[in-house]
């Protein structure tokens, strides 16, 4: 069973968000939440919320399907960051010039899953 959560238009650059997402990819969900809680990067807060939401989505999906749910079994099967739209702003500079500032956004997606039981081996 797998569950997905995503946040769009997060005001953090994709490069900085990818640094945080690379820390948790492939880890157990509880371990990933512990890592994100103490990570010093600014992007760790929105990623923490997304992982927590994916775990909650998995719990909800298990309840509706009537399947037993163990949070300890969940792991991060997919985690990726896509680039969102860039807001372009201008700042005045010397001698009447304008300096462009790019305010980048990210789309962050996390998929949690339980390991599939291998039958017939």
């Amino acid at each position: 069973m797998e569950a997905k959560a995503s946040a769009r238009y997060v005001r953090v650059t994709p490069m900085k968000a990818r640094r945080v997402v690379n820390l948790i990819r492939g880890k157990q969900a509880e371990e990933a939440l512990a890592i994100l809680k103490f990570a010093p990067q600014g992007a760790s807060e929105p990623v923490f919320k997304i992982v927590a939401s994916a775990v909650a989505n998995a719990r909800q999906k298990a309840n509706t399907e009537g399947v037993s749910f163990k949070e300890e079994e969940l792991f991060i099967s997919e985690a990726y960051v896509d680039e969102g739209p860039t807001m372009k702003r201008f700042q005045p500079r010397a001698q009447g010039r304008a300096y462009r500032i790019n305010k980048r956004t990210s789309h962050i997606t996390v998929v949690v899953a339980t390991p599939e039981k291998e039958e017939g081996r």
Side-chain angles (χ1 to χ4, degrees):
M1 178 187 67
E2 67 178 32
K4 177 177 163 182
S6 65
R8 299 188 54 166
Y9 307 106
V10 179
R11 265 292 289 123
V12 65
T13 65
M15 215 171 175
K16 292 177 182 177
R18 283 187 190 110
R19 282 185 60 204
V20 174
V21 167
N22 289 340
L23 289 174
I24 63 163
R25 190 176 289 120
K27 299 235 187 322
Q28 296 290 326
E30 290 178 344
E31 184 184 354
L33 289 171
I35 290 170
L36 291 170
K37 190 168 201 157
F38 297 106
Q41 291 88 0
S44 61
E45 185 183 346
V47 175
F48 179 89
K49 288 182 177 182
I50 296 164
V51 172
S53 177
V55 170
N57 290 346
R59 184 181 298 116
Q60 186 66 33
K61 189 173 182 180
N63 286 343
T64 56
E65 292 178 0
V67 180
S68 65
F69 177 75
K70 292 181 185 157
E71 196 169 313
E72 307 87 43
E73 292 181 358
L74 287 177
F75 72 100
I76 312 292
S77 63
E78 285 182 58
Y80 54 91
V81 179
D82 294 326
E83 191 170 338
T86 301
M87 298 185 288
K88 295 171 180 74
R89 302 290 182 260
F90 291 95
Q91 183 176 14
R93 302 300 279 187
Q95 298 180 357
R97 293 185 178 92
Y99 179 74
R100 190 163 89 175
I101 297 174
N102 293 325
K103 294 180 178 269
R104 300 181 188 275
T105 60
S106 304
H107 302 319
I108 306 170
T109 305
V110 174
V111 179
V112 295
T114 55
E116 298 297 324
K117 304 286 190 271
E118 294 183 17
E119 295 178 18
R121 286 193 176 189

